[in-house]
Structures are given as C-alpha cells and as structure tokens.
Amino acid sequence: MPRTRRVLLSAVTAVTTVAATAAGITVAEADAQPLVAGPAAAAALAANQPSHDSTADHSWNSADVHAVTLTGSGASTTAPGVTVSGSTVTVTQAGTYRFSGTLTDGQIAVNSTGTGIVRLILNGVTVTNNTNAAVNVIAADEVMVVVADGTTNTLTDATTYTPVADDPNAALFSAADLTITGGGTLTVNGRFNDGIAGKDGLVIDSARITVTARDDGIRGQDYVIVNSGTLSVTATGDGIKSDNDEDATRGYVSLVAGTVGVTATGDGVTATTDVIKSGGTLSVKSGGGSTVQPPADGSAKGLKAGVLLILSDGQSTVDSSDDGVHSDAAIVVEGGTTTVATADDGVHAESTLDVRAGTVNVTKSYEGFEGLKVTFSGGSASAVASDDAVNAAEEGVPEMQVAPNAFIRVTGGTVVADGGTDGLDSNGTLQLTGGTVVVAGSGTRGGGEGGLDSNGALTITGGVVYSTGISASTSTLPASGQGWLRVTFAANQPAGTIVHLATTSGTQIAAYRSTKAFRQVVFSSTQITRGTSYDVYTGGSVSGTAVGGNMYTGGTLSGTRVSTVVAGR
C-alpha cells in the first residue's frame, strides 16, 4: 500500500504546524516563528506513534519472579506459565521469568495469548539454535527482555531455518512490542537473517548490546527507539532499521541517548518515515566508508530517512560510500555536532535542507550540502567537496536554466564552503542576508565555475561574505543592497596567500589566508560603502577575530599594498 505522509514538499511547514497546534498557536503565527534547537525533534516525535514502553513496565515484585534453569538440552522449572518440550522452553502467560544456564540447540519461546507483559530476565544465558531463532516471541501483549546487571548473555540462531508457522527471521525475534533493558551484556549473532527484529515496536532502554547479522542488525517494523545503552552493530544489510510503509506515523527511528556504533554494508540507520537523533553518540560506517565509491545498485547511506531527518543534539560521525545524511524529503539540523566523510553527497535532501543550529562538518564529499531549498539560519556548517560545496537544484529543470523553486539562503550562522567546482551553486536564486559566508571556489577553473554561482539572481543584503576562486563570482554582482568589493589579480595567486582588505587610511577590515589557488576575491560587509575606495594588501600575517574558513575581521594591517579598488565596481 502506498504511504501518505504529513511531509512531502515542505517538512519545515508541517513540523512547525504540529508544534504550533500543540501550543495553541495558529498556523500563520507559527510559520512566522523560527524554531530553535530542539523543537523540530519534539514536534516530529509528537506526530508519530507513541512508544509502547512505560514506567510501569520496569517495576515488578521480586517475589513474583519465576526461575527457569536451562540445562543444555532442556530446562527445569516449577513456573505455572512455562512448558518444556525437549529443548524448546515456552512461556504461555504474562509474568516475570528469570532464565539462567545454556541451551546448546534450543529456543526460548513466548506464546501468550492473554493480556499483560511478559518479562524475560536473562541472568547469564547462552542459547544456540541450529534450526530456528534463539528467542522467538510468537504472541504476547508486550514483551520485555531484561539483561540482568553484571551478567553476560549470548543468543545465536541457525544459518538455515526450518520453516514454522510464525516465520521468525532473527536470532531475537518478536511478533509483539519488544523492550530491551538492563545493565548486563547481550551478544546477538544473527546467522540466518537479522540480529534483533520485531514486527511491532522495538525500544532499547539500556544494556550493552553487540549484534552481528547476515542482513539487518536491529529492525523494528513500527519504530526503533534507543533511549540509552551501548550498542555495537555489524550488519551485511542495514544497521538499524524501521520499515513500516503503510502508516504515516510509524516506520521511524529515534535515537535519544546512549552510545551507538554501526558498521553496515547497506544503510547505517534507515527509516521509511523519520530518523530523529535528539542526543547520545552515534558512529556510522556504511558501504565500506568514504574511500569506496557508492554502489551502482542498492543503498549504502549513513543516515537515511524517507520523509524527515532531524539532527537535534549529541555527537554524530558518519563515514559512508553513499550519501552521509540523506532524506527523500526534508532535513533539519537544529543542534548537536555532526561530522561526515563520504564518496557521494554529505547532506542531501530531495526537498528542503535547513541548518538552524549546531555544527555540521562535511570533511569529504562529492557535493557537500544539496537540496531543492537550502537554508542556513544559524549554527556552523562547512563542506569540502570535489564538485559543489553547496548546491540547490530542481529535478526536471536543465542545469543551465533558472530553476524556479530552487534557492540557497544564508540568513545567519557561519557557512564555510570549499568546492572543487563551485562554492555556493544555486540553479535558482542565491540570497545572502546575514551570517558569515566564506567560500573557496575552483582553484583551477574559471568561467562557469566560481565561488558564488547562480542561474537566478544573486542578492547580498547583509552579513559578511568572502569568496575566492579563479572566478570569485560567476553571477552578476548586485547593483543594490549591501556594498561589495571585487579584486582581480593580474595572475593566479598560490594557496597560502594572505589578502588584507583595508580602508585607504590603513584600518584593516578583513584578512584571509587562502587554502587553494585563486585569482579573484569578492567581499561584502556593513563596512563597505558603494563608491568608496579600499586598499588591497598581500603577504604579512593574519590577525583579528577568527570568523571561520581562515578569515579574520579587524586586526592589524600588514603586508604590501598591491591595489586600490572602488566598492560596487
């Protein structure tokens, strides 16, 4: 069944609307209020199916715990809700059961048709199954796996399954809502298909969990929520995945806290709808990493969302062969620190890409930031790219035509763009109204390649802009708005050259140490007045206030004066 979703062309409007509705604000009022760090993630989670996990689930009476001892080829117990048939131990009713011991070729099963939660306490358990899943939840209202403090537990399934009616496909499999918690260690070896998989929701509240899987590492159909814990996932398929494609409120992944490490041949973290990272530490390596070209078929993205991807807080490191951070619709960065190295695009949204707060460093990419509508309104964003560092393009519109819906807007924050072809490249408009923008375009090609490049109009009405390249701007510099300087040297200047811009009375406005060869400089700030002359110096040393990208404002003038230019010419 095709899915519908609240976000298709503009995730930003939808998220803002959800937050506004909750606060009793009209949609019009909400659209006028910029979001700060945090609200986008909260609003997205509020719009999705709630977690099944509750505080009450984590409390039980120790007197009510039933002991089950695994004995290698079977089990011993006096629990009324447990049956033992050979090496299969089945829990048949709600309650709390503590397992210890070993099954050399067996299974812990849950087949509880009544209401209430089934808790499986793993208290030093090793279960291996040579024909099926190690733990198989056939039916239950809800199941909690408690990894007992101070214990080590291992679950290993078969390499080939003998078909059964409930059709499990993971070493730890659940047909019901599943929660994993506790202070112990759990190792899951998914030799047949997935490591941990559920047909409903999956919540990881704590525990130290190591998963290896022939296909997907951790998969919850309705959602995967990681509230805490330490996870290490190695998967031949996808690392962490939610894949419900029939309900717009499901199929999401939420990473709230904890430490998560993923190595996957496919996507690192992927969701049919939303990927929401609101805290914790995440490290992802997908498709072999940034030294491997992206696959011709399939997907090997670091973080991948079908609808909305939000980076709200915490630390994220992505090393991917395919896109590092990708959404089929929208991306919002509103906090945290994210570092991306990729053989493809660093941060790619098919629709809107908004950086509002936090830090995003794309250290290696083909294109750094790419979307239809790209907005930087706060935080710090930097990209090193072999093609365009920041690109706005519209599907179906030829590359050299003006794309009517595409734009790059910088209204705040700091943007540092180092492009192998263009620094900022918009197939539509390029609007610089605030913040700090430091751009290095191609150091080998001019003409159609440059620091600032747009098919539509370039406007500069605020902020600080410093662009270099063989061509610092291929766009026509604006005849109105904030003042600007254009400096063209007689010959290409080598990487490492220091350029000073100063008043004719000797007050330094800005200094810049180049990272690559250039021939032209464009500079704009509130200190530049159209029609006024300014001096250009090279050499000496940089000084002043570092604002990003090897650029400094203020400071002490040094070097040798090489030319005088008039602003606006």
Side-chain angles (χ1 to χ4, degrees), residues 9 350-353 371-375 391-397 401-409 426-431 455-456:
L9 293 179
E350 293 292 331
S351 181
T352 58
L353 194 170
L372 171 64
K373 301 177 179 181
V374 182
T375 303
N391 180 250
E394 185 169 357
E395 186 175 355
V397 178
Q401 291 186 14
V402 177
N405 296 304
F407 62 72
I408 297 172
R409 292 175 181 166
S426 175
N427 290 1
T429 59
L430 176 54
Q431 304 166 35
N455 294 355

mmCIF file of all heavy atoms in Angstrom, residues 9 350-353 371-375 391-397 401-409 426-431 455-456:
data_model
loop_
_atom_site.group_PDB
_atom_site.id
_atom_site.type_symbol
_atom_site.label_atom_id
_atom_site.label_comp_id
_atom_site.label_asym_id
_atom_site.label_seq_id
_atom_site.Cartn_x
_atom_site.Cartn_y
_atom_site.Cartn_z
ATOM 1 N N LEU A 9 6.544 18.049 0.354
ATOM 2 C CA LEU A 9 7.340 19.114 -0.238
ATOM 3 C C LEU A 9 7.942 20.043 0.792
ATOM 4 O O LEU A 9 8.958 20.664 0.545
ATOM 5 C CB LEU A 9 6.483 19.928 -1.215
ATOM 6 C CG LEU A 9 6.044 19.171 -2.467
ATOM 7 C CD1 LEU A 9 5.189 20.067 -3.338
ATOM 8 C CD2 LEU A 9 7.242 18.660 -3.248
ATOM 9 N N GLU A 350 15.994 15.794 -0.788
ATOM 10 C CA GLU A 350 15.307 15.954 -2.070
ATOM 11 C C GLU A 350 14.454 17.217 -2.086
ATOM 12 O O GLU A 350 14.220 17.794 -3.147
ATOM 13 C CB GLU A 350 14.432 14.727 -2.360
ATOM 14 C CG GLU A 350 15.205 13.443 -2.596
ATOM 15 C CD GLU A 350 16.006 13.482 -3.887
ATOM 16 O OE1 GLU A 350 15.599 14.178 -4.839
ATOM 17 O OE2 GLU A 350 17.054 12.816 -3.939
ATOM 18 N N SER A 351 13.997 17.660 -0.923
ATOM 19 C CA SER A 351 13.180 18.869 -0.846
ATOM 20 C C SER A 351 13.913 19.954 -0.061
ATOM 21 O O SER A 351 14.765 20.634 -0.604
ATOM 22 C CB SER A 351 11.823 18.553 -0.211
ATOM 23 O OG SER A 351 11.013 19.710 -0.162
ATOM 24 N N THR A 352 13.636 20.108 1.220
ATOM 25 C CA THR A 352 14.198 21.216 1.992
ATOM 26 C C THR A 352 15.337 20.751 2.887
ATOM 27 O O THR A 352 15.270 19.697 3.513
ATOM 28 C CB THR A 352 13.123 21.884 2.863
ATOM 29 O OG1 THR A 352 12.553 20.902 3.739
ATOM 30 C CG2 THR A 352 12.022 22.473 2.010
ATOM 31 N N LEU A 353 16.370 21.582 2.960
ATOM 32 C CA LEU A 353 17.512 21.329 3.847
ATOM 33 C C LEU A 353 17.717 22.590 4.677
ATOM 34 O O LEU A 353 18.063 23.640 4.141
ATOM 35 C CB LEU A 353 18.763 20.994 3.026
ATOM 36 C CG LEU A 353 19.965 20.378 3.745
ATOM 37 C CD1 LEU A 353 20.986 19.900 2.710
ATOM 38 C CD2 LEU A 353 20.649 21.332 4.701
ATOM 39 N N GLY A 371 20.112 20.270 -1.881
ATOM 40 C CA GLY A 371 18.672 20.164 -1.753
ATOM 41 C C GLY A 371 18.004 21.048 -2.776
ATOM 42 O O GLY A 371 18.659 21.754 -3.559
ATOM 43 N N LEU A 372 16.692 21.018 -2.800
ATOM 44 C CA LEU A 372 15.935 21.934 -3.646
ATOM 45 C C LEU A 372 15.961 23.334 -3.026
ATOM 46 O O LEU A 372 16.256 24.327 -3.707
ATOM 47 C CB LEU A 372 14.494 21.451 -3.784
ATOM 48 C CG LEU A 372 13.507 22.412 -4.459
ATOM 49 C CD1 LEU A 372 13.888 22.655 -5.914
ATOM 50 C CD2 LEU A 372 12.072 21.882 -4.340
ATOM 51 N N LYS A 373 15.681 23.399 -1.736
ATOM 52 C CA LYS A 373 15.661 24.658 -1.000
ATOM 53 C C LYS A 373 16.600 24.525 0.191
ATOM 54 O O LYS A 373 16.326 23.773 1.128
ATOM 55 C CB LYS A 373 14.244 24.993 -0.540
ATOM 56 C CG LYS A 373 13.249 25.108 -1.684
ATOM 57 C CD LYS A 373 11.830 25.362 -1.199
ATOM 58 C CE LYS A 373 10.862 25.485 -2.376
ATOM 59 N NZ LYS A 373 9.476 25.757 -1.929
ATOM 60 N N VAL A 374 17.715 25.233 0.139
ATOM 61 C CA VAL A 374 18.762 25.102 1.151
ATOM 62 C C VAL A 374 18.842 26.401 1.943
ATOM 63 O O VAL A 374 19.074 27.469 1.366
ATOM 64 C CB VAL A 374 20.118 24.786 0.499
ATOM 65 C CG1 VAL A 374 21.194 24.610 1.569
ATOM 66 C CG2 VAL A 374 20.026 23.541 -0.382
ATOM 67 N N THR A 375 18.671 26.299 3.257
ATOM 68 C CA THR A 375 18.683 27.481 4.116
ATOM 69 C C THR A 375 19.641 27.278 5.276
ATOM 70 O O THR A 375 19.583 26.256 5.971
ATOM 71 C CB THR A 375 17.276 27.776 4.668
ATOM 72 O OG1 THR A 375 16.354 27.945 3.584
ATOM 73 C CG2 THR A 375 17.286 29.035 5.520
ATOM 74 N N ASN A 391 24.802 23.066 -3.031
ATOM 75 C CA ASN A 391 24.111 23.036 -4.315
ATOM 76 C C ASN A 391 22.606 23.025 -4.116
ATOM 77 O O ASN A 391 22.096 22.305 -3.258
ATOM 78 C CB ASN A 391 24.530 21.800 -5.117
ATOM 79 C CG ASN A 391 23.845 21.705 -6.468
ATOM 80 O OD1 ASN A 391 23.006 20.848 -6.696
ATOM 81 N ND2 ASN A 391 24.197 22.603 -7.370
ATOM 82 N N ALA A 392 21.900 23.855 -4.892
ATOM 83 C CA ALA A 392 20.435 23.826 -4.934
ATOM 84 C C ALA A 392 20.016 23.529 -6.364
ATOM 85 O O ALA A 392 20.367 24.266 -7.288
ATOM 86 C CB ALA A 392 19.845 25.155 -4.475
ATOM 87 N N ALA A 393 19.306 22.432 -6.549
ATOM 88 C CA ALA A 393 18.905 22.004 -7.889
ATOM 89 C C ALA A 393 17.463 21.533 -7.862
ATOM 90 O O ALA A 393 16.951 21.103 -6.821
ATOM 91 C CB ALA A 393 19.819 20.889 -8.387
ATOM 92 N N GLU A 394 16.819 21.610 -9.008
ATOM 93 C CA GLU A 394 15.418 21.210 -9.127
ATOM 94 C C GLU A 394 15.286 20.132 -10.189
ATOM 95 O O GLU A 394 15.716 20.314 -11.330
ATOM 96 C CB GLU A 394 14.545 22.410 -9.480
ATOM 97 C CG GLU A 394 13.066 22.110 -9.511
ATOM 98 C CD GLU A 394 12.214 23.364 -9.596
ATOM 99 O OE1 GLU A 394 12.787 24.482 -9.580
ATOM 100 O OE2 GLU A 394 10.979 23.240 -9.693
ATOM 101 N N GLU A 395 14.721 19.018 -9.779
ATOM 102 C CA GLU A 395 14.573 17.894 -10.703
ATOM 103 C C GLU A 395 13.702 18.301 -11.892
ATOM 104 O O GLU A 395 12.667 18.944 -11.744
ATOM 105 C CB GLU A 395 13.944 16.699 -9.981
ATOM 106 C CG GLU A 395 13.887 15.436 -10.818
ATOM 107 C CD GLU A 395 13.374 14.244 -10.034
ATOM 108 O OE1 GLU A 395 13.146 14.384 -8.821
ATOM 109 O OE2 GLU A 395 13.197 13.169 -10.649
ATOM 110 N N GLY A 396 14.148 17.938 -13.080
ATOM 111 C CA GLY A 396 13.393 18.226 -14.291
ATOM 112 C C GLY A 396 13.739 19.534 -14.954
ATOM 113 O O GLY A 396 13.290 19.796 -16.067
ATOM 114 N N VAL A 397 14.523 20.389 -14.274
ATOM 115 C CA VAL A 397 14.925 21.669 -14.854
ATOM 116 C C VAL A 397 16.370 21.525 -15.342
ATOM 117 O O VAL A 397 17.251 21.165 -14.560
ATOM 118 C CB VAL A 397 14.833 22.814 -13.826
ATOM 119 C CG1 VAL A 397 15.308 24.127 -14.441
ATOM 120 C CG2 VAL A 397 13.412 22.938 -13.305
ATOM 121 N N GLN A 401 19.412 26.277 -16.910
ATOM 122 C CA GLN A 401 18.224 27.128 -16.853
ATOM 123 C C GLN A 401 17.946 27.537 -15.403
ATOM 124 O O GLN A 401 18.398 26.883 -14.458
ATOM 125 C CB GLN A 401 17.014 26.390 -17.432
ATOM 126 C CG GLN A 401 17.094 26.157 -18.931
ATOM 127 C CD GLN A 401 15.808 25.555 -19.477
ATOM 128 O OE1 GLN A 401 14.770 25.551 -18.810
ATOM 129 N NE2 GLN A 401 15.879 25.047 -20.694
ATOM 130 N N VAL A 402 17.192 28.624 -15.255
ATOM 131 C CA VAL A 402 16.824 29.077 -13.913
ATOM 132 C C VAL A 402 15.758 28.142 -13.348
ATOM 133 O O VAL A 402 14.688 27.968 -13.941
ATOM 134 C CB VAL A 402 16.309 30.522 -13.932
ATOM 135 C CG1 VAL A 402 15.856 30.940 -12.540
ATOM 136 C CG2 VAL A 402 17.372 31.461 -14.465
ATOM 137 N N ALA A 403 16.054 27.515 -12.212
ATOM 138 C CA ALA A 403 15.095 26.633 -11.548
ATOM 139 C C ALA A 403 14.174 27.487 -10.688
ATOM 140 O O ALA A 403 14.632 28.114 -9.724
ATOM 141 C CB ALA A 403 15.830 25.605 -10.693
ATOM 142 N N PRO A 404 12.886 27.535 -10.975
ATOM 143 C CA PRO A 404 12.001 28.492 -10.299
ATOM 144 C C PRO A 404 11.818 28.249 -8.806
ATOM 145 O O PRO A 404 11.516 29.193 -8.061
ATOM 146 C CB PRO A 404 10.670 28.331 -11.038
ATOM 147 C CG PRO A 404 10.744 26.979 -11.676
ATOM 148 C CD PRO A 404 12.174 26.754 -12.007
ATOM 149 N N ASN A 405 12.000 27.024 -8.349
ATOM 150 C CA ASN A 405 11.758 26.720 -6.931
ATOM 151 C C ASN A 405 13.030 26.501 -6.127
ATOM 152 O O ASN A 405 12.973 26.297 -4.916
ATOM 153 C CB ASN A 405 10.865 25.486 -6.811
ATOM 154 C CG ASN A 405 9.485 25.710 -7.392
ATOM 155 O OD1 ASN A 405 8.789 26.635 -7.001
ATOM 156 N ND2 ASN A 405 9.103 24.879 -8.355
ATOM 157 N N ALA A 406 14.172 26.532 -6.788
ATOM 158 C CA ALA A 406 15.424 26.247 -6.093
ATOM 159 C C ALA A 406 16.037 27.524 -5.526
ATOM 160 O O ALA A 406 15.987 28.578 -6.149
ATOM 161 C CB ALA A 406 16.408 25.571 -7.042
ATOM 162 N N PHE A 407 16.635 27.408 -4.339
ATOM 163 C CA PHE A 407 17.369 28.548 -3.801
ATOM 164 C C PHE A 407 18.357 28.100 -2.749
ATOM 165 O O PHE A 407 18.220 27.027 -2.142
ATOM 166 C CB PHE A 407 16.439 29.613 -3.214
ATOM 167 C CG PHE A 407 15.586 29.169 -2.046
ATOM 168 C CD1 PHE A 407 16.133 28.942 -0.782
ATOM 169 C CD2 PHE A 407 14.206 29.018 -2.197
ATOM 170 C CE1 PHE A 407 15.347 28.560 0.297
ATOM 171 C CE2 PHE A 407 13.412 28.627 -1.122
ATOM 172 C CZ PHE A 407 13.982 28.404 0.123
ATOM 173 N N ILE A 408 19.377 28.938 -2.538
ATOM 174 C CA ILE A 408 20.245 28.881 -1.367
ATOM 175 C C ILE A 408 20.059 30.190 -0.625
ATOM 176 O O ILE A 408 20.176 31.268 -1.224
ATOM 177 C CB ILE A 408 21.725 28.703 -1.743
ATOM 178 C CG1 ILE A 408 21.951 27.368 -2.468
ATOM 179 C CG2 ILE A 408 22.617 28.785 -0.507
ATOM 180 C CD1 ILE A 408 23.346 27.218 -3.033
ATOM 181 N N ARG A 409 19.764 30.115 0.671
ATOM 182 C CA ARG A 409 19.607 31.293 1.503
ATOM 183 C C ARG A 409 20.510 31.177 2.722
ATOM 184 O O ARG A 409 20.505 30.148 3.405
ATOM 185 C CB ARG A 409 18.161 31.452 1.975
ATOM 186 C CG ARG A 409 17.163 31.790 0.884
ATOM 187 C CD ARG A 409 15.749 31.809 1.434
ATOM 188 N NE ARG A 409 14.772 32.108 0.397
ATOM 189 C CZ ARG A 409 13.453 31.925 0.527
ATOM 190 N NH1 ARG A 409 12.974 31.456 1.675
ATOM 191 N NH2 ARG A 409 12.641 32.212 -0.465
ATOM 192 N N SER A 426 23.601 27.689 -6.941
ATOM 193 C CA SER A 426 22.148 27.579 -6.964
ATOM 194 C C SER A 426 21.653 27.628 -8.405
ATOM 195 O O SER A 426 21.976 28.559 -9.139
ATOM 196 C CB SER A 426 21.496 28.709 -6.164
ATOM 197 O OG SER A 426 20.086 28.658 -6.291
ATOM 198 N N ASN A 427 20.874 26.632 -8.778
ATOM 199 C CA ASN A 427 20.237 26.676 -10.096
ATOM 200 C C ASN A 427 19.057 27.639 -10.105
ATOM 201 O O ASN A 427 18.509 27.934 -11.166
ATOM 202 C CB ASN A 427 19.789 25.282 -10.511
ATOM 203 C CG ASN A 427 20.959 24.373 -10.838
ATOM 204 O OD1 ASN A 427 22.117 24.780 -10.731
ATOM 205 N ND2 ASN A 427 20.671 23.135 -11.211
ATOM 206 N N GLY A 428 18.703 28.119 -8.923
ATOM 207 C CA GLY A 428 17.709 29.176 -8.794
ATOM 208 C C GLY A 428 18.377 30.435 -8.288
ATOM 209 O O GLY A 428 19.373 30.887 -8.853
ATOM 210 N N THR A 429 17.869 30.979 -7.195
ATOM 211 C CA THR A 429 18.429 32.218 -6.643
ATOM 212 C C THR A 429 19.430 31.924 -5.532
ATOM 213 O O THR A 429 19.412 30.860 -4.911
ATOM 214 C CB THR A 429 17.318 33.119 -6.089
ATOM 215 O OG1 THR A 429 16.592 32.412 -5.064
ATOM 216 C CG2 THR A 429 16.362 33.537 -7.192
ATOM 217 N N LEU A 430 20.291 32.920 -5.274
ATOM 218 C CA LEU A 430 21.275 32.861 -4.200
ATOM 219 C C LEU A 430 21.106 34.119 -3.373
ATOM 220 O O LEU A 430 21.355 35.225 -3.854
ATOM 221 C CB LEU A 430 22.685 32.754 -4.773
ATOM 222 C CG LEU A 430 23.866 32.783 -3.795
ATOM 223 C CD1 LEU A 430 23.716 31.730 -2.708
ATOM 224 C CD2 LEU A 430 25.172 32.602 -4.557
ATOM 225 N N GLN A 431 20.654 33.956 -2.122
ATOM 226 C CA GLN A 431 20.295 35.095 -1.282
ATOM 227 C C GLN A 431 21.147 35.087 -0.013
ATOM 228 O O GLN A 431 21.055 34.167 0.794
ATOM 229 C CB GLN A 431 18.811 35.015 -0.907
ATOM 230 C CG GLN A 431 17.876 34.926 -2.111
ATOM 231 C CD GLN A 431 16.471 34.507 -1.720
ATOM 232 O OE1 GLN A 431 15.974 34.869 -0.652
ATOM 233 N NE2 GLN A 431 15.833 33.728 -2.579
ATOM 234 N N ASN A 455 22.059 30.556 -11.276
ATOM 235 C CA ASN A 455 21.370 30.788 -12.547
ATOM 236 C C ASN A 455 20.404 31.957 -12.433
ATOM 237 O O ASN A 455 20.172 32.683 -13.400
ATOM 238 C CB ASN A 455 20.623 29.534 -12.981
ATOM 239 C CG ASN A 455 21.551 28.384 -13.325
ATOM 240 O OD1 ASN A 455 22.767 28.552 -13.326
ATOM 241 N ND2 ASN A 455 20.995 27.214 -13.613
ATOM 242 N N GLY A 456 19.817 32.108 -11.241
ATOM 243 C CA GLY A 456 18.940 33.245 -10.984
ATOM 244 C C GLY A 456 19.713 34.374 -10.328
ATOM 245 O O GLY A 456 20.941 34.423 -10.353
#
